[in-house]
Amino acid sequence: MSTVDEHTPAAADAKPMRTAAAESLRRLLQRPLASYYLVLGSAGLLLVLGMVMVFSASSVMSRVQFGYPYYFFARQLAWVIVALPFAWIASRMPARLIRRFGLPMLVAAAMLLTLTFVPGLGVTRGGNTNWLDLGGPFLIQPSEPAKLALIIWGAGMFALKGRLLAQWKHLMIPFIPVSGAVVALTIGQHDLGTALVLMAIVLTLLWVVGVPTWLFGLALGVVGVVGAYFVTASENRMSRVVSFLDPFSDFSGTGYQAANSIYAFATGGWWGSGLGASRLKWGQLPEAHTDFIFSILGEELGLPGALMVLGLFFTLGFAGIRIAMRTTDTFTRLAAAGITGWLIVQAIINLGSVLVVFPVIGVPLPLVSYGGASMVVVIVAVGILMALAKEEPGAREALAARKQARRERRRSRRAHA
């Protein structure tokens, strides 16, 4: 077996190319607006890919139930159109203004969560009473805005306390009781998946704000105990945990979704069956356009498509962490870390369920899965993350310089017209 010596001409040419590529990447990341455009680019591509996959995954169900293949796609498009102006407004807000919305958002979210327990208003789907019927087409899931509200309120509250955070009691009160109440309301709806995401948000904020190791370990232990209790207390949840170890042992029962998810990836193979050519979306895979949309994506687009989604979420997570690390403002750091932790943890839970690494928990894939309230809230959260990216050193100056350059170009074109 021959090997290529590092001193050969080919190796000598490759090394400067790798060095030049690394240097170009380093220079790009040093630009003040790098995080801003990484968030915009990765989230935008995930959203576009999600729209394509929602249409593909739901077209058969739409035709069977409503007579035409565009029903779910049209609804998703409508929610995106509603969300984008709010995200644009959020992206142009300074951090100090976003911070003021924390408490009103949390109060409103808590009220909506409470209303789901009122007979006639709360709607049960899939065993979870986590939907609120406001009449007509207005059916929302209050736990989705509660995620963003908890992040903005928590970040603002910790930033307000400042030096008092050196005392552990100020780290806990009122954050732990309030966040515990929000999680309790979600658990009361029997929505353990969303409750786990909320717990992950709480742990993220506590970690970033700098709680002592023993206190963070205690909080992590409490989350583990609470999660284990509610899993073992429900026969349905317990059967899901047991069946995910071998979905085919109860193929027609608790392992049905996980087993068919495996079949979807196997059917697509390495390169996929082609966009729109999924077999599992013809009724075999439940929730194909919502929680299990990644299975259809893997079946149709194969490994390249799956890796593209993973790469985009990695880029989004990298940009969010970069914002949190580069800013000097406490609120910006906590809010950026909270939003990033929420989106990435929820993506990991969804992908883990679809790939049968975790039990089927039932949370959507952010920016990709079909959903109304969840899609609107996630898009607005991305807008807020873009606003927070402007708090990085030199970012606002760079934006102002670009606006000035555009105005100068327009003046120059008018002068030559």
Side-chain angles (χ1 to χ4, degrees):
M1 182 177 65
S2 62
T3 59
V4 178
D5 188 86
E6 63 177 359
H7 299 294
T8 61
D13 291 340
K15 188 174 180 179
M17 291 177 62
R18 289 195 299 267
T19 304
E23 181 64 20
S24 298
L25 179 60
R26 188 182 66 82
R27 289 179 179 176
L28 285 173
L29 292 178
Q30 284 181 340
R31 294 183 178 181
L33 294 174
S35 301
Y36 179 89
Y37 287 113
L38 285 174
V39 171
L40 177 62
S42 57
L45 289 172
L46 282 170
L47 183 59
V48 171
L49 181 61
M51 293 298 300
V52 173
M53 292 312 305
V54 164
F55 173 66
S56 177
S58 66
S59 58
V60 174
M61 184 187 301
S62 294
R63 183 177 290 279
V64 171
Q65 294 184 2
F66 303 100
Y68 64 103
Y70 307 105
Y71 177 80
F72 291 106
F73 172 78
R75 287 177 65 90
Q76 183 83 332
L77 182 61
W79 283 113
V80 170
I81 291 173
V82 167
L84 286 177
F86 290 101
W88 180 80
I89 294 171
S91 71
R92 300 177 70 86
M93 287 184 179
R96 64 180 181 277
L97 182 57
I98 295 172
R99 178 175 167 178
R100 294 177 184 174
F101 285 95
L103 184 58
M105 288 171 60
L106 187 65
V107 171
M111 291 176 62
L112 292 174
L113 283 170
T114 304
L115 288 177
T116 60
F117 296 92
V118 177
L121 292 179
V123 177
T124 302
R125 287 187 173 183
N128 301 331
T129 312
N130 56 350
W131 293 87
L132 187 62
D133 188 357
L134 299 179
F138 298 102
L139 187 68
I140 66 171
Q141 192 173 1
S143 55
E144 294 300 324
K147 298 172 185 175
L148 182 58
L150 186 60
I151 292 169
I152 302 302
W153 172 78
M157 186 271 301
F158 283 134
L160 183 63
K161 288 199 172 189
R163 294 182 179 180
L164 292 175
L165 294 178
Q167 305 174 40
W168 70 268
K169 63 180 180 180
H170 285 285
L171 289 167
M172 305 295 287
I173 299 173
F175 181 68
I176 292 300
V178 172
S179 58
V182 174
V183 172
L185 287 170
T186 308
I187 292 176
Q189 298 173 335
H190 306 289
D191 190 357
L192 185 60
T194 301
L196 289 175
V197 175
L198 286 167
M199 292 178 192
I201 289 171
V202 171
L203 291 174
T204 300
L205 291 176
L206 289 176
W207 175 263
V208 176
V209 81
V211 299
T213 304
W214 68 269
L215 196 55
F216 184 81
L218 178 62
L220 188 61
V222 170
V223 169
V225 170
V226 170
Y229 170 77
F230 283 101
V231 167
T232 55
S234 170
E235 183 178 346
N236 180 49
R237 295 191 191 110
M238 195 63 194
S239 61
R240 286 186 181 184
V241 172
V242 173
S243 66
F244 105 94
L245 298 173
D246 183 10
F248 297 95
S249 63
D250 187 16
F251 180 81
S252 60
T254 56
Y256 185 78
Q257 276 185 303
N260 278 291
S261 180
I262 294 174
Y263 278 141
F265 287 105
T267 302
W270 289 104
W271 304 107
S273 57
L275 187 62
S278 167
R279 299 179 183 178
L280 275 294
K281 69 182 180 183
W282 290 78
Q284 288 178 258
L285 181 62
E287 309 297 337
H289 61 303
T290 55
D291 298 347
F292 280 79
I293 195 169
F294 188 70
S295 302
I296 304 301
L297 186 147
E299 181 186 4
E300 294 188 351
L301 303 183
L303 184 62
L307 290 178
M308 179 171 60
V309 171
L310 295 177
L312 289 173
F313 273 111
F314 176 84
T315 303
L316 182 60
F318 169 78
I321 293 172
R322 188 174 186 269
I323 295 168
M325 293 181 66
R326 284 170 58 87
T327 185
T328 57
D329 178 61
T330 302
F331 170 78
T332 300
R333 181 174 70 253
L334 290 169
I339 292 173
T340 305
W342 157 34
L343 298 179
I344 300 305
V345 167
Q346 184 165 319
I348 290 172
I349 292 175
N350 176 275
L351 296 174
S353 299
V354 167
L355 296 170
V356 200
V357 176
F358 305 143
V360 176
I361 296 177
V363 295
L365 186 60
L367 295 167
V368 181
S369 292
Y370 173 83
S374 61
M375 178 59 74
V376 172
V377 174
V378 168
I379 291 177
V380 171
V382 169
I384 292 175
L385 194 58
M386 291 170 60
L388 298 176
K390 297 177 185 178
E391 301 298 324
E392 289 189 25
R396 292 196 178 276
E397 292 80 2
L399 279 173
R402 291 195 175 192
K403 289 179 182 179
Q404 181 63 30
R406 284 197 295 268
R407 285 194 291 265
E408 292 296 334
R409 285 196 295 269
R410 285 196 295 267
R411 291 171 185 169
S412 178
R413 285 196 296 267
R414 286 196 294 267
H416 290 85

